[in-house]
Every structure is written in C-alpha cells, then in structure tokens.
Amino acid sequence: MGYLSKIDISKAPKHIAIIMDGNGRWAKKQGHERLYGHNFGVESVRETLKAAKQLKVQYLTMYAFSTENWNRPKDEVDGLMDLLVRSIAAEVGELMENGVRLMTIGDTEGLPEACRNELMEAIQQTKDNSEITLVLALNYSSRWEITNALQKIVKSVKASELTEEEITIEKIEEFLTTRGIPDPELLIRTSGEHRISNFLLWQIAYTEFHFTEVLWPDFREEDLFKAVLDYQSRERRFGMVSEQLT
Ligand code: IPE
Ligand code: IPE
Ligand code: MG
C-alpha cells in the first residue's frame, strides 16, 4: 500500500505515543452522544496496534484518560470507565493471539475497583508476550507523575536509601511510572489540536511531533504509516549540528 512501502522499517520508531483526541467531535458531527465516539475509538486502537506491529514498533503508548478528564460530566466519565472495563475484558484473547503485552502508566490506585481489577488481570495474563507492548495511560498526567516521583525520592533520601548525589537523570526515571520504557521517538496527536495536555512532559524532551486533523475514531493504519513517514523525513540532532550525525 501507499505509505507503508516508503517506510524504512529498520529505522521506524521503537516507541510511538498517541494522544487519541476528537471522539466527542466525531460523534457530534453525526448527531450522536460523545460516548458513541469513544466506542468507535476502540476500533482505532485495534487498527493502530496492528499497524505498529507491522512496523516492528516495540512500545505503543495511548493516552486514554487524563487526570483532568475526571472533570467531565459524570455520565461521560462513568461511560468511559465502563467502556474500559468492557474493552479490556473483550480484547484479552486477541492481545494473547497477537503477542501483545499490556502495561499501564498513571495513577492506577485512583481508578474504580472494577476497572483496576480488569486491568491488573489483563496485565498479569499478557506479561510474557513479547511482540509489542501496549501502554495505556489511564488516570495519567505528567505533573502527577513527576510529583509522585518527587515524593518517593524524598522518602528514600529520608530513609537513607538514597543520597542527594545519587539523584541523577537515570535515577529520576526509575521513579516515573514509565520506568523501563524507552522515551518515545514519535508523538502523534489527532483532531487538529496542537497541545500536549499534560502528557509525558519529561519523556518527550527529544520526541518528534506529528499532528493530524483526523479525528481519533477515523484513525486507521494508513494514518499511522503517514505519521511514521513524516517522522523519517526529520533530522534528529539532539543539540548537535548536521555534520556530526553521520
Ligand atoms: C479523546 O476524545 C478521548 C478522551 C479524552 C477520553 P475527546 O473526548 O477529548 O473528544 P473531543 O476532543 O471532545 O472531540
Ligand atoms: C487529552 O485530551 C487526554 C486524552 C486524550 C486522554 P483532552 O481532550 O482531554 O485534552 P484537552 O482538554 O483538549 O487539552
Ligand atoms: Mg479532546
């Protein structure tokens, strides 16, 4: 197909993060409730996962629910939590078939019990899969994550398990919920919004951004391939100059 044939898979990102946005607007456009859009968004997750696997991507992180999303109307929040429980339960079989390991980042403690249980069970069940890791950002916000890390670091110092000098960049990363996950090389946001909305602030220090007008429920394999192709047209300099990169 079009974009896929142009991609150099050996140089595809190992980690792609996605801010899945536009479900509500998509639903509204067709005269439906916002939840209708969230429901259709699940199919986009499935498609994106398949496409990422074809590119041998190792980690796919999806922003599914932010700390700030609790401020939405109760009906929508309840509907989203319900959808989450149902989707995880329904998808575990397919995750197993496709060698997908499920992980989560965020404040899991703050999720409703049914949701947390379903999630933990799926994580446990898929833990030995090694084709690709799907990281669901649930009740996640970067400022929460960094604050949480700071609290834990201070606790460790107070308990004399850590000295001030031992607090390095690598050490701080061990206290983030993304511990062990490499930084994303590519971040995609759908729905035409050009903002980060409290997502992975620490981890995107050198990430390439791709913004698309496509609303999340319309996002398909080709859209991921297009984003990766865009990524491959960039020169990542990490603070150096072009000539140093060869
Ligand atoms: C993204 O779609 C899904 C979540 C944030 C849970 P939205 O629900 O934000 O859809 P829009 O941005 O209002 O269209
Ligand atoms: C970001 O989308 C959060 C998720 C995709 C889960 P939002 O729709 O909540 O972000 P804002 O409100 O437009 O910044
Ligand atoms: Mg939105």
Side-chain angles (χ1 to χ4, degrees):
M1 289 263 283
Y3 295 119
L4 178 58
S5 61
K6 299 195 183 94
I7 294 174
D8 177 352
I9 293 184
S10 72
K11 290 184 184 138
K14 293 286 168 259
H15 182 181
I16 300 177
I18 305 184
I19 302 175
M20 310 183 277
D21 200 12
N23 296 354
R25 277 164 281 168
W26 185 87
K28 261 212 169 127
K29 258 179 37 185
Q30 11 216 328
H32 289 284
E33 296 290 312
R34 298 176 54 84
L35 274 169
Y36 183 80
H38 296 315
N39 270 300
F40 272 86
V42 178
E43 181 58 28
S44 306
V45 175
R46 221 180 273 129
E47 284 267 329
T48 306
L49 191 58
K50 263 200 297 185
K53 225 182 110 176
Q54 287 186 63
L55 299 179
K56 305 208 181 320
V57 169
Q58 288 167 5
Y59 293 89
L60 184 65
T61 298
M62 315 288 256
Y63 205 3
F65 194 86
S66 78
T67 311
E68 289 78 17
N69 287 148
W70 293 113
N71 298 323
R72 293 190 177 195
K74 187 175 182 304
D75 279 359
E76 184 172 348
V77 172
D78 290 348
L80 273 167
M81 289 300 144
D82 184 53
L83 176 65
L84 209 66
V85 174
R86 279 187 289 118
S87 308
I88 295 171
E91 301 297 323
V92 173
E94 209 173 311
L95 296 182
M96 289 306 291
E97 270 170 40
N98 291 300
V100 183
R101 174 172 67 151
L102 185 68
M103 281 178 71
T104 184
I105 54 170
D107 188 3
T108 343
E109 299 288 310
L111 290 170
E113 202 181 334
C115 187
R116 194 169 58 236
N117 290 344
E118 206 62 62
L119 189 63
M120 290 309 147
E121 207 179 300
I123 288 173
Q124 180 61 25
Q125 230 181 306
T126 60
K127 71 175 178 11
D128 295 324
N129 293 342
S130 55
E131 287 287 315
I132 184 168
T133 301
L134 173 63
V135 184
L136 284 184
L138 284 173
N139 196 16
Y140 177 89
S141 88
S142 207
R143 287 180 174 176
W144 166 81
E145 178 179 51
I146 293 169
T147 306
N148 180 256
L150 262 172
Q151 290 172 349
K152 288 185 172 156
I153 289 169
V154 170
K155 228 183 198 167
S156 295
V157 172
K158 275 189 175 163
S160 304
E161 293 158 3
L162 194 68
T163 66
E164 195 181 319
E165 294 71 31
E166 282 169 343
I167 304 173
T168 57
I169 290 173
E170 293 73 23
K171 184 55 80 180
I172 291 171
E173 287 175 344
E174 284 178 29
F175 286 87
L176 298 175
T177 57
T178 51
R179 176 183 53 246
I181 302 173
D183 289 344
E185 294 98 325
L186 171 63
L187 175 100
I188 300 169
R189 183 168 188 149
T190 59
S191 86
E193 305 294 358
H194 296 188
R195 56 175 171 263
I196 297 301
S197 303
N198 218 347
F199 194 42
L200 302 175
L201 298 179
W202 172 282
Q203 296 85 347
I204 57 173
Y206 274 100
T207 298
E208 299 292 332
F209 295 169
H210 175 87
F211 297 105
T212 168
E213 295 292 323
V214 174
L215 302 173
W216 180 250
D218 286 330
F219 196 89
R220 288 294 174 268
E221 289 189 331
E222 280 294 296
D223 297 300
L224 187 84
F225 297 150
K226 191 175 173 188
V228 169
L229 208 58
D230 180 27
Y231 162 84
Q232 291 194 332
S233 73
R234 317 269 181 92
E235 182 180 63
R236 304 183 74 205
R237 289 191 287 277
F238 302 99
M240 295 180 282
V241 298
S242 244
E243 290 69 27
Q244 292 174 290
L245 298 172
T246 46

